[in-house]
Amino acid sequence: MKDISWMTYIMLILASYRLTHLIVFDKITEFIRKPFMKKVKTQTAEGTVETKEVPKSMFGYLLKCYWCAGVWSAILLGTLYLLFPKIAFVIILILSIAGGQSIIETFVGVNIKKVDYYSELKKKD
C-alpha cells in the first residue's frame, strides 16, 4: 500500500466532493442521469400540483443520492490514484482545485446574501 501524504488526502477529499457534485447536481451531466429518472406529479398540502423528478431504478437512485455517489466517487478516485498515481494525480489536482473553489464560492455567496438580507432589514427599521 502506498503512503498518502496529508496534502494528497485533502486533494482526494476535495476531488471526490467535486466529482460527486458533478454527477448528482450539475447541468452538464444531466444527460447521464436523465435516462434513469422519471417525472411524477404530486399534490401539495395547499392543493397545487408539483412535478418532481424521481429515480426509475436503483441505479437512478445511486446517481441522484449525494451520499451514494460520494462513496462511488471516493472508491473510483482512490483506486485510480493507487493503481495509476501519475495519471490520477492530474485528474485529482483539477477536481480538487474546482472543489475548493466551489466551497469558497458557496461560502462567499451565502455571506453576500446574509449581508444583503441584513442591509434590507436595517433599511426597513
Side-chain angles (χ1 to χ4, degrees):
M1 176 81 91
K2 274 186 167 256
D3 284 336
I4 298 177
S5 72
W6 67 271
M7 181 61 79
T8 303
Y9 188 67
I10 298 294
M11 287 174 64
L12 280 163
I13 291 169
L14 288 169
S16 180
Y17 164 76
R18 186 63 194 108
L19 182 59
T20 300
H21 199 278
L22 186 68
I23 292 167
V24 177
F25 298 112
D26 289 357
K27 185 83 170 161
I28 196 167
T29 55
E30 192 173 304
F31 74 97
I32 296 170
R33 294 186 303 272
K34 198 169 189 160
F36 305 99
M37 305 303 286
K38 64 182 176 183
K39 294 191 186 228
V40 174
K41 292 184 181 187
T42 58
Q43 193 165 5
T44 64
E46 295 84 34
T48 59
V49 176
E50 283 185 351
T51 304
K52 54 190 231 183
E53 227 176 41
V54 296
K56 283 185 195 175
S57 64
M58 190 57 79
F59 191 72
Y61 182 76
L62 291 174
L63 290 174
K64 201 70 174 159
C65 169
Y66 190 79
W67 300 105
C68 303
V71 170
W72 292 109
S73 293
I75 290 169
L76 175 73
L77 291 172
T79 303
L80 192 65
Y81 180 74
L82 292 174
L83 296 177
F84 309 103
K86 291 184 189 226
I87 296 167
F89 186 78
V90 175
I91 296 165
I92 291 165
L93 177 66
I94 292 166
L95 286 172
S96 66
I97 292 169
Q101 180 275 331
S102 67
I103 291 170
I104 292 168
E105 184 61 37
T106 300
F107 178 76
V108 169
V110 166
N111 284 320
I112 287 172
K113 287 178 184 173
K114 276 186 193 175
V115 168
D116 291 344
Y117 175 74
Y118 291 132
S119 295
E120 289 299 317
L121 281 178
K122 276 192 170 184
K123 287 179 185 175
K124 290 179 182 178
D125 289 341

